[in-house]
Every structure is written in structure tokens, then in C-alpha cells.
Amino acid sequence: MAEKSENTIESALRNLLVLEQHAESRPINPSTEFILKSFIDYIVTEFSNSSSGERNFNFNGSDEVEQAQVKIDENLYVLRRYENKMIRLFDDNDNVLEIEVLPFLRRINDEYHLSIDRFHSKGTNPKNTQVFGKEIISALNSSN
């Protein structure tokens, strides 16, 4: 069976990663690889729909693993965490919000009185969005 050829940004980026994986191109810096994979995830999340017409939040390599809902300023929000550790914030219509997630997580922590420490156990390095987001989502779900 012949494979369907796609001429999309997503397929070009995936092909680049496959070529690098098979040593058919120059090595890609791990940070750059993460950025490329995150961008692919963004493209797929923003521009693909499932067969039901609803936005597809599960995509190759990064299925949704956990979510939590919060209400801030009378608005409902959904936090989603993916297998690749990415944290995304959506409005109540499942639209990705173009705001910085980490400050919003800090606000949730304060307004919901979750008392999650913003710093790692040694107290010197602040937690990144992925770590802090996972802890916020877990705390929100355990309080329900």
C-alpha cells in the first residue's frame, strides 16, 4: 500500500526528525529537538480536528495524561498536561490561550490556597512550568 505523501510543515518537521534519528542528517541539539517536537504538537493541536469535529487533544507522542478545571475571575479554564510534560491552558471553549502559563499557575496556587512550593527542595531553583503545572493539576484533582 502506497503511503500518502503530505506536503505540510508538520510532515516536513517530522521527516527532519526521522532523518536525524537514522543518522541521515546532522545531529540536532537536544534542546532544538524538544522545541521542534513542541512546535509539531502545537501545530497538530491548533489545526487538527477529530472525526467528531472536536479539537484533537491527543497527538503522536504526547497524549493528554491529566487535566484539571479552575475558575478564576468567574471564567472557567482547563489545564492539560501531556506525556511530553507540556502544560497548556485552555478556555471553556477549548481554545488554547496565548498567555504565559507559569504566572497563571502561580495565581491558581495562590487563589486556591494549594500551598505548593514554587522552588525545588533545595530552595534555590524555581520550578519550571512542567514541574509546577504537574503539581498544580495533581493538587486540584485531589481536592475535588
Side-chain angles (χ1 to χ4, degrees), residues 67-79 89-92 104-105 108-109 112 114 136-137 140-141 144:
Q67 71 168 295
Q69 291 185 351
V70 294
K71 194 169 193 174
I72 303 281
D73 296 330
E74 300 303 315
N75 296 311
L76 186 63
Y77 298 95
V78 179
L79 284 166
L89 180 65
F90 297 82
D91 65 16
D92 61 345
F104 197 82
L105 292 170
I108 293 168
N109 191 33
Y112 278 75
L114 299 175
I136 293 288
I137 291 171
L140 289 167
N141 287 334
N144 290 336

Side-chain angles (χ1 to χ4, degrees), residues 6-69:
E6 290 189 36
N7 189 18
T8 65
I9 293 171
E10 176 194 352
S11 65
L13 292 173
R14 288 185 189 278
N15 288 336
L16 175 66
L17 292 172
V18 168
L19 288 172
E20 191 269 346
Q21 183 181 21
H22 291 108
E24 296 175 17
S25 70
R26 291 183 180 176
I28 298 174
N29 176 294
S31 296
T32 303
E33 183 179 349
F34 176 79
I35 291 168
L36 288 172
K37 288 179 179 179
S38 295
F39 184 61
I40 290 168
D41 292 344
Y42 172 79
I43 290 170
V44 173
T45 300
E46 279 300 298
F47 302 109
S48 73
N49 291 319
S50 68
S51 60
S52 69
E54 294 178 12
R55 199 169 272 180
N56 181 8
F57 294 109
N58 299 322
F59 36 87
N60 291 338
S62 59
D63 289 334
E64 181 183 312
V65 293
E66 194 174 21
Q67 71 168 295
Q69 291 185 351

